Amino acid sequence: MRSIWNGAISFGLVSIPIKLVNATESHSISFRQIHTEDGGRIRYRKVCELEEREVSSAEIGKGYEDADGTIIPITDEDLSHLPLPTAKTIEIVAFVPADRIDPLQMDAAYYLQAGGAPAAKPYTLLREALKRSNKVAIAKYALRGRERLGMLRVVGDAIAMHGLLWPDEVRAPEGVAPDTSVTVRDKELDLADALMDTLGEVDLDDLHDEYREAVEEVVAAKAAGETPREAPSAPSSGKVLDLMAALEKSVRAAKESRGEQPEPAADSDSDADAEPASGEAKVSRLHQRRSARSAPKQTGGKKSTSTAKKATPAPRKSTQAAKKSTASKNTAAAKSASSAKSTTKKTAAKKTTATAKKTPAKKTAARKRTA
């Protein structure tokens, strides 16, 4: 691999000669600009605006534009004399745990190649020290005219360096998150977890650039004078009105794609409390169910099942009324019998009293006759 920078790693008083090599490469397809009428290449020419003529690369240098538009020429010699210890050195300044580095700061990646046999021992020493400490090294270096921040870590048997953005170059995520209040229910989180578990992990080596492959097919077809095949119709991008239903459908689809047997769909009553996910869903399903239960539906003159269910307890009320009526009759009969007994007793008492009154009268008359 061709090196793009030569220098040394400064590890305290230890200096390790290294070469900087690109760790990544781009496989994306690039296009040329052409004239659509005749297919001719469109090229840009570098023209000096003062002389109005095209200049060669050898005539082009660097310049800094001041606030008032003045151009201040800067030569490579000026930059080579900058008072920076990192001009030709990757200076390690600290060792920190890897999780201290925000992935947002990650930039280009490089491999640090040992610069000859003398660098083998100190290079291996730094690599093994990084392995044993489970830390990464934070370093400063200069590349392409400016000082940069880097992170050194072990990749296999090599030391890799990731360029890092300076902390003030990472923008805060202000105004990015939704500014509306949203309530996420536990059941929705459970379904999201189930979808994550179903999708599972993936071997990154199995992933590939499908867009690049499709572009290559188009180029090959056009080169052969054939008509490129049409792309499949894109799925409709309608608004999701039911988040729970979308999650459940996603879980079932993920399981089917893995050859697993999907579980039966949950009863729709389980998400009766779900809030509509869109402003268009003005009536929730819970409200619809309650309306269906409260309003009796008639089909062909027959009452709905809910009405029939409500009418079922009616015989119980009739039985209770019959029981109450029977109890009332029994009570009335008992009262009548009691009243009759009382009347009989009173009549007998009256007769006894009358008889008693008559008896003395008869005795008195008999005595008179005897005298």
Side-chain angles (χ1 to χ4, degrees):
M1 291 185 286
R2 186 173 63 88
S3 64
I4 60 173
W5 184 88
N6 295 336
I9 300 174
S10 174
F11 179 31
L13 297 178
V14 178
S15 181
I16 311 171
I18 57 97
K19 296 179 180 179
L20 197 66
V21 179
N22 280 321
T24 62
E25 58 186 2
S26 176
H27 291 165
S28 61
I29 296 177
S30 59
F31 297 100
R32 302 294 186 184
Q33 290 186 330
I34 63 170
H35 187 199
T36 56
E37 291 186 4
D38 54 20
R41 284 281 305 276
I42 301 297
R43 297 180 183 275
Y44 292 97
R45 297 180 178 180
K46 298 177 180 179
V47 177
C48 175
E49 63 179 16
L50 296 179
E51 298 181 9
E52 295 184 354
R53 70 175 181 88
E54 186 177 356
V55 296
S56 63
S57 297
E59 299 176 90
I60 298 175
K62 299 183 182 70
Y64 176 80
E65 185 175 2
D66 206 353
D68 59 358
T70 303
I71 301 296
I72 303 172
I74 301 294
T75 65
D76 291 338
E77 186 179 359
D78 295 332
L79 297 177
S80 64
H81 291 88
L82 291 176
L84 287 176
T86 57
K88 281 291 181 180
T89 304
I90 298 175
E91 182 185 2
I92 296 177
V93 296
F95 291 88
V96 300
D99 57 7
R100 287 271 303 275
I101 306 301
D102 189 341
L104 287 173
Q105 289 184 256
M106 295 289 188
D107 201 357
Y110 308 95
Y111 286 131
L112 303 182
Q113 181 181 3
K121 182 65 177 288
Y123 186 98
T124 305
L125 172 64
L126 176 60
R127 183 190 66 197
E128 296 304 314
L130 287 171
K131 279 185 180 180
R132 192 165 71 172
S133 67
N134 290 323
K135 293 183 178 180
V136 297
I138 303 300
K140 295 170 70 176
Y141 65 102
L143 182 65
R144 298 189 179 99
R146 69 186 185 96
E147 189 175 53
R148 302 167 187 261
L149 195 62
M151 177 190 75
L152 277 62
R153 70 183 183 95
V154 177
V155 177
D157 292 332
I159 299 176
M161 182 174 71
H162 294 269
L164 299 178
L165 300 175
W166 296 98
D168 59 357
E169 292 179 321
V170 179
R171 301 171 63 183
E174 296 178 357
V176 177
D179 57 358
T180 57
S181 178
V182 177
T183 301
V184 178
R185 300 184 301 138
D186 289 339
K187 184 164 185 180
E188 293 169 339
L189 286 174
D190 293 341
L191 279 173
D193 290 341
L195 179 57
M196 293 167 62
D197 293 339
T198 304
L199 292 176
E201 299 181 357
V202 66
D203 187 353
L204 295 181
D205 292 334
D206 295 337
L207 302 179
H208 56 278
D209 188 351
E210 297 181 6
Y211 177 81
R212 177 173 59 86
E213 294 175 356
V215 172
E216 289 175 347
E217 289 183 8
V218 171
V219 172
K222 297 277 283 188
E226 301 174 355
T227 302
R229 63 175 181 174
E230 295 183 0
S233 57
S236 59
S237 58
K239 294 182 179 179
V240 179
L241 299 181
D242 193 337
L243 179 60
M244 293 290 292
L247 287 170
E248 290 173 353
K249 187 175 181 180
S250 300
V251 172
R252 289 196 297 272
K255 287 184 176 180
E256 289 174 356
S257 67
R258 290 176 171 269
E260 299 179 14
Q261 187 66 25
E263 297 178 1
D267 187 5
S268 58
D269 289 340
S270 61
D271 25 306
D273 297 330
E275 298 179 359
S278 171
E280 297 178 2
K282 296 180 180 179
V283 182
S284 66
R285 286 179 291 172
L286 175 61
H287 179 69
Q288 290 174 351
R289 291 195 193 95
R290 288 178 177 173
S291 300
R293 291 172 182 170
S294 60
K297 296 181 180 180
Q298 295 184 359
T299 305
K302 295 182 180 180
K303 293 185 178 180
S304 64
T305 306
S306 60
T307 308
K309 288 181 179 180
K310 288 185 177 181
T312 302
R316 295 180 181 178
K317 293 183 179 179
S318 301
T319 304
Q320 292 175 357
K323 288 181 180 180
K324 288 182 179 180
S325 176
T326 304
S328 300
K329 288 180 181 179
N330 293 339
T331 305
K335 288 182 178 180
S336 299
S338 176
S339 176
K341 287 181 181 180
S342 177
T343 305
T344 304
K345 287 181 180 181
K346 288 180 180 180
T347 304
K350 286 182 179 180
K351 287 181 179 180
T352 303
T353 305
T355 305
K357 287 182 178 180
K358 289 179 179 179
T359 301
K362 289 180 179 180
K363 287 182 179 181
T364 304
R367 284 177 183 176
K368 287 181 179 181
R369 288 176 184 171
T370 306

